[in-house]
Amino acid sequence: MEDPPSTDANEENLNNRMNELKAFDETKAGVKGLVDSGITKVPQIFYTPPDPFTTNKVEFSIPVIDLDGIETNQDHRKETVKKVGNASSTWGFFQVVNHGIKQNVLDEMLEGVRRFYEEDTQVKKEWYTRDGSKRVVYNSNFDLYSAASANWRDTTYCSMAPKTPNPEELPLACRDIMIEYSKQVTKLGTSLFELLSEALDLKPYHLKNMGCSEGLAVLYHYYPACPEPELTLGASKHADYDFLTVLLQDNIGGLQILHQNQWVDIPPVPGALVVNIGDLLQLISNDKFKSSQHRVLANHIGPRVSVACFFTTGLLPSSKLYGPINELTSEENPPKYRETTVREYSLHYNSKGLGGTDSALLDFML
Ligand code: OGA
Ligand code: NI
């Protein structure tokens, strides 16, 4: 039998990895930069060990919910509330169609993302940072130095609310559409929080009045084509750290949700938006709603682009405490979580990074 590697060898491996991560980070060109340079092999820092879950081959997928007429037709609204409630407590995910955001706005948003990433590296570099207090944070792998494996994607984070940006604070390539899209997603988010409140048997404005829709962070992702997609992931398994996420994906696919210990594809549906419950909504709903783990596969085909709108104030200073909603707890159903602030939760989540076995939420369980 071979001896296990000595401590010295382990240390050397760690040092090598750290040096490779730094070298990659310092290019400020992200995964796209690697692909542009012509690499044909995935570098080791991106290797991701396979997980124990299999991919579900059966036609079995998250519900697609039609929002047309929910403001005018009370019967349809009631039915929709039921569907939203069921999807949120079983899957934690659903797709919405007839959500009020026009196809040309969706198309232009994805086009704007491509424009940003396909701009000259010199222009993009100006936005490259790991300083989370910046309005716009472009980098590859926010958790590059803490996660076990780096992901095959680049991301730009823009804080859009509660403090709205001046247009000059946003990258020119997607400035106008970011402002327009954020406005429309905010409106959709407001209706979704109403439906979710009703599904919890609360007054329609309950979640809004708690401040769940106050903050909006828009993260736009670029998943370059990958020469060896079996060796890595576009995004490691994670749950979202916000109250609610509204995701726009292009037609390439690769997004999967972990449901009953199986990976289930979330196929692109033309014109649809993917909605999912975040950790903070699971916490305040006392587990009535589920923040599900999901991931994105790497692909020979690319680039894939997506835009994730996170309803959260994230790392902004916050003092408001969030715990399980009183109306949702009782003697038989006591609070399962301790109270926290949005900032405290976000800091904790960020320090853990993506790809861990345990959800960051577990650390807040009573
Ligand atoms: C996320 C996310 C999925 C995607 O941003 O948290 O899960 O398809 N994105 O990009
Ligand atoms: Ni996510």
Side-chain angles (χ1 to χ4, degrees):
M1 243 172 71
E2 252 179 67
D3 288 335
S6 69
T7 313
D8 282 358
N10 272 341
E11 229 165 71
E12 200 182 316
N13 282 342
L14 281 177
N15 276 338
N16 282 345
R17 177 174 170 83
M18 189 47 82
N19 289 337
E20 277 179 49
L21 291 172
K22 275 194 195 137
F24 168 65
D25 202 16
E26 278 161 13
T27 65
K28 301 189 177 187
V31 176
K32 180 169 190 304
L34 291 177
V35 173
D36 288 346
S37 75
I39 58 153
T40 54
K41 297 236 166 279
V42 166
Q44 281 237 358
I45 53 169
F46 294 94
Y47 282 17
T48 313
D51 73 16
F53 310 112
T54 53
T55 291
N56 186 292
K57 293 284 174 224
V58 193
E59 258 326 295
F60 177 53
S61 196
I62 63 166
V64 178
I65 301 178
D66 188 348
L67 298 185
D68 189 31
I70 52 164
E71 304 299 337
T72 47
N73 179 335
Q74 278 314 306
D75 287 341
H76 179 50
R77 185 179 184 88
K78 263 197 200 145
E79 246 171 66
T80 308
V81 165
K82 228 184 255 165
K83 285 186 193 160
V84 164
N86 279 338
S88 302
S89 47
T90 54
W91 294 93
F93 266 80
F94 52 95
Q95 307 214 44
V96 290
V97 292
N98 294 315
H99 42 62
I101 306 182
K102 297 232 160 61
Q103 191 63 45
N104 64 319
V105 172
L106 303 179
D107 293 342
E108 174 55 19
M109 186 65 248
L110 293 175
E111 207 38 61
V113 174
R114 282 183 211 108
R115 261 197 314 271
F116 173 83
Y117 288 103
E118 284 163 15
E119 203 152 31
D120 210 79
T121 307
Q122 292 310 322
V123 178
K124 265 184 323 193
K125 265 185 186 168
E126 300 293 315
W127 302 98
Y128 197 96
T129 179
R130 295 197 175 272
D131 177 355
S133 68
K134 289 255 161 66
R135 168 78 75 179
V136 177
V137 176
Y138 153 59
N139 62 41
S140 185
N141 290 270
F142 78 91
D143 53 359
L144 187 67
Y145 296 106
S146 55
S149 321
N151 289 159
W152 202 256
R153 77 166 169 183
D154 301 327
T155 294
T156 307
Y157 159 99
C158 298
S159 165
M160 301 300 288
K163 204 174 156 280
T164 46
N166 295 321
E168 314 78 66
E169 289 179 84
L170 302 173
L172 186 58
C174 54
R175 180 182 289 172
D176 295 345
I177 189 63
M178 278 287 288
I179 294 172
E180 182 57 31
Y181 185 67
S182 301
K183 234 186 256 169
Q184 299 206 22
V185 165
T186 302
K187 193 162 160 243
L188 171 61
T190 307
S191 335
L192 290 169
F193 279 116
E194 287 175 21
L195 296 171
L196 291 162
S197 300
E198 290 173 45
L200 291 169
D201 275 326
L202 302 167
K203 297 255 156 50
Y205 295 112
H206 197 108
L207 292 173
K208 180 173 188 232
N209 289 345
M210 285 181 75
C212 297
S213 53
E214 243 163 51
L216 181 68
V218 177
L219 277 80
Y220 56 86
H221 305 295
Y222 191 87
Y223 300 84
C226 181
E228 297 176 304
E230 332 64 58
L231 297 181
T232 185
L233 284 170
S236 298
K237 174 164 83 84
H238 69 282
D240 292 349
Y241 69 103
D242 54 353
F243 289 103
L244 190 72
T245 308
V246 175
L247 177 90
L248 165 63
Q249 61 169 334
D250 69 10
N251 57 11
I252 290 189
L255 176 61
Q256 297 185 317
I257 169 185
L258 188 60
H259 184 69
Q260 294 170 355
N261 289 330
Q262 290 202 312
W263 288 110
V264 178
D265 290 324
I266 301 189
V269 171
L273 291 163
V274 177
V275 179
N276 66 284
I277 306 296
D279 287 350
L280 289 171
L281 191 47
Q282 175 168 339
L283 184 149
I284 63 174
S285 73
N286 207 33
D287 280 353
K288 185 93 197 283
F289 289 165
K290 229 174 97 184
S291 171
S292 290
Q293 307 268 352
H294 50 284
R295 69 175 182 182
V296 181
L297 299 177
N299 198 327
H300 276 297
I301 303 165
R304 171 182 188 267
V305 295
S306 69
V307 180
C309 292
F310 283 66
F311 285 92
T312 177
T313 51
L315 296 175
L316 290 179
S318 61
S319 53
K320 197 185 291 173
L321 287 171
Y322 286 95
I325 295 170
N326 275 337
E327 287 86 337
L328 304 181
T329 62
S330 61
E331 231 167 87
E332 306 81 64
N333 183 24
K336 294 192 165 87
Y337 299 97
R338 70 169 177 87
E339 292 185 317
T340 182
T341 64
V342 173
R343 178 175 158 82
E344 182 196 23
Y345 190 74
S346 307
L347 282 170
H348 176 70
Y349 180 98
N350 282 355
S351 72
K352 290 193 85 153
L354 305 187
T357 10
D358 292 335
S359 156
L361 248 191
L362 284 182
D363 301 318
F364 289 76
M365 270 206 140
L366 287 172

